[in-house]
Amino acid sequence: MYAKVSFFCFLLLGLGSSDEEDAFTFNGFRGAKLSMDGVAEITDGGLLRLTNTTKLVASHAFRPSPVRFRASPTSGVFSFSSTFVFGIVAEDRELSGHGVAFVVSPSMDFRGAIGAHYMGLFNATSNGDRSNHVLAVELDTIFNPEFEDIDFNHAGIDINSLRSFNSTPAGYFAGDGVFRNLSLISGDPIQVWVEYDGLSLQLKVTLSPMGFPKPRVPLLSSTVNLSDVLREEMYVGFSSSSDPFLTSHYLLGWSFGVNGTAPALDLSRLPPLPRGGTEKSEKALRIWLPIATTLLVLSAAGAAVLVVRRRARFAELQEWEMERGPSRISYKDLFEATGGFSEKQLLGAGGFGTVYRGFLPGSKKEVAVKKVSHGSRQGMREFVAEIVSVGRIRHRNLVQLQGYCRRKGELLLAYSFMPNGSLDKLLFGPEGGRLKWAQRFRIIKGVASALLYLHEEWEQVIIHRDVKSGNVLLDGDMEAKLGDFGLARLYDHGTDPQMTRVVGTLGYLAPELIKTRRASKATDIFAFGVFLLEVVCGRKPLELHQPEEMIVLVDFVAENWRRGRILKVADPRMGDCAMEEVDLVLRLGLLCSDPLPGVRPNMRRVVQFLEGGGPLPDHESTFLNPIVQTLLENEAYDNHSRSFSSLTEILVSGGR
Ligand SMILES: *[C@@H]1O[C@H](CO)[C@@H](O)[C@H](O)[C@H]1NC(C)=O
Ligand SMILES: *[C@@H]1O[C@H](CO)[C@@H](O)[C@H](O)[C@H]1NC(C)=O
Ligand SMILES: *[C@@H]1O[C@H](CO)[C@@H](O)[C@H](O)[C@H]1NC(C)=O
Ligand SMILES: *[C@@H]1O[C@H](CO)[C@@H](O)[C@H](O)[C@H]1NC(C)=O
Ligand SMILES: *[C@@H]1O[C@H](CO)[C@@H](O)[C@H](O)[C@H]1NC(C)=O
Ligand SMILES: *[C@@H]1O[C@H](CO)[C@@H](O)[C@H](O)[C@H]1NC(C)=O
Ligand SMILES: CC(=O)N[C@H]1CO[C@H](CO)[C@@H](O)[C@@H]1O
């Protein structure tokens, strides 16, 4: 009926072709013709699955023919309305990301967009750009301070930007008018209504558990003139990103209509959602859940993986800017060195960008070129100044910056190439057994000395912010080189100083860093402690697939230490080793990764301990201390600096 009416309108206006309709209904998606990318697919059961739990991706699904939203470029936007039912099923019920968004876009091509917290819609450059002409309603399951997210379970109206125009915690006003929370990641289907009134310019978003009558009071209601946003013809569909947690995002049904109410869905015909989600890691979650919520941060930094890389065109080359100074390299050289940033030369992604291997044409020097994108040009200027300054640092255990190049929103950094790759690949791979204790101990001492240099010995204090085995590279002699230092600062420039971002990697973030978002020497030392444990144990800091007591490495080591069998946790593949050294490093790892920053030694002490300069202090890891556990859970140390240090004093002095 609806379709007929709109078809009739087309005839009257002489617009569109006969197969165009501006209303449609999918009660399940079996046989639906949609334009999909990423891993989006229609399951045998008729669900539209945007992402699945096997791959970190961003996916899209659009109605292939565009919808007419206004009669002419100057006339107002028609009223429109859409309703859909979605469900989020995560591998691990508490760790889910990143969410799903209903999208109205001038194009279905999202190849330039990033997954993770950009939800497959924008990238650092395009986010916030009025020329996007994108309207989205996000159902966001990760708390991202960068975009001023309010929590890790919210609905938001996004206009050209992931910094929501308006957002609110997910929920609904039940029949009695009382607000009820809704958990987006519960695994239960949720129905959403998006309605725009072209006259009053009201955009309303309403949620409810599937099967409940539509609440009369919307969850979100904003006055917004979409005339500046929507073009005459737009595509409607969905975008979703499963980064940084493997999550399946499903749509069960969807309808859409212009000038009126979207056709009602026949809920009885919607396909069922699969059940999923184990609650296995209860204990880990108690500790790590708060981290997960701040994780958007690392999706921004650590996992800033460009889902699809655009090939740079040679025609754009005159854009590169000349920089003074010995370490400038031309974009052309870097482009040639890396075969035009070709996939074949790709060494890896993550840790602020993508890394390519290459030979500099002139010197024939082998380099690793890191491509970092950055939205703010102003921030970039300051950052380049800093890179030049940091580029002067020389230390045998720090990766040497060879040169850099700035180009539009991009920074390219050329480092000495490290033939033996990154430590984590070796440590956690099948070859890990080749890393004997003596080598590991040397690597540990090398990284300690690099960190001591950054913290205490260079002309200014440099907080690394992302110490981990993945940032330790090995040269041809298996000498450790700490990489990526100073890079985290990139994210401070050009952003609101009130909102200093947490940069780091899940599993290495000190508890107070999560609360205060303030990186310090002590938070670096926490990460270094975790690093010590992973090198000795040959295990990642967080292994969600392990039995409960083994998920969090620090917990696992602390527990074994309490039971007097700390050496049992050492990687058996190391062969014969000096047991007193292994014992020292494990206990030092626990001391450094203590949840209370005041307990952690500074790097100078750490290096002394490693060199055999005196016994470790008697230390009962507060990780297992029930008082600390309670305090951690009760946010008792919210007002960190002061109450925190006095708390530390109580535990350290009074606790003995
Ligand atoms: C919606 O209504 C406007 C007039 O109010 C009309 O010009 C337009 O063609 C209608 N669109 C559809 C798809 O019915
Ligand atoms: C997820 O999607 C990919 C790509 O479409 C596919 O190869 C894989 O089998 C899917 N996994 C599951 C569990 O369906
Ligand atoms: C960002 O997105 C825009 C629009 O999709 C695209 O043109 C641009 O190339 C992207 N930038 C990067 C660095 O991928
Ligand atoms: C809803 O969630 C908020 C924040 O998570 C919480 O403060 C509030 O008590 C919850 N309300 C209900 C009714 O559960
Ligand atoms: C909406 O914006 C357009 C373009 O900026 C303007 O022409 C129009 O008058 C606005 N509509 C209303 C109702 O304010
Ligand atoms: C610390 O506590 C004071 C009052 O007790 C409060 O005003 C302030 O916002 C708190 N600071 C933080 C960072 O929580
Ligand atoms: C363990 C390992 O991969 N060692 C290699 C490090 O690099 C040198 C030089 O490229 C190789 O000879 C080693 O086999």
Side-chain angles (χ1 to χ4, degrees), residues 35 50 166 225 286 325 412 441 485 592 594:
S35 282
L50 288 166
N166 190 0
N225 187 346
R286 217 175 52 237
L412 297 125
F441 197 39
F485 54 97
C592 291
D594 194 282

Side-chain angles (χ1 to χ4, degrees), residues 417-421 426 431 434-435 439 474-479:
F417 179 75
M418 294 291 140
N420 282 318
L426 193 55
E431 301 273 85
R434 284 168 60 197
L435 266 182
Q439 272 172 324
L474 301 168
D475 73 5
D477 300 323
M478 299 298 283
E479 178 93 58

Side-chain angles (χ1 to χ4, degrees), residues 36-48:
M36 297 185 276
D37 66 16
V39 297
E41 63 178 357
I42 293 167
T43 65
D44 293 339
L47 289 160
L48 168 55

Side-chain angles (χ1 to χ4, degrees), residues 5 40 108 110 119 156 163 185 223 237 240 267 275 324 358 454 639:
V5 171
M108 295 190 280
F110 281 87
M119 279 198 175
R163 214 170 280 249
I185 63 166
T223 306
S240 177
L267 299 182
R275 299 302 314 178
R324 298 264 163 89
L454 294 177
N639 252 326

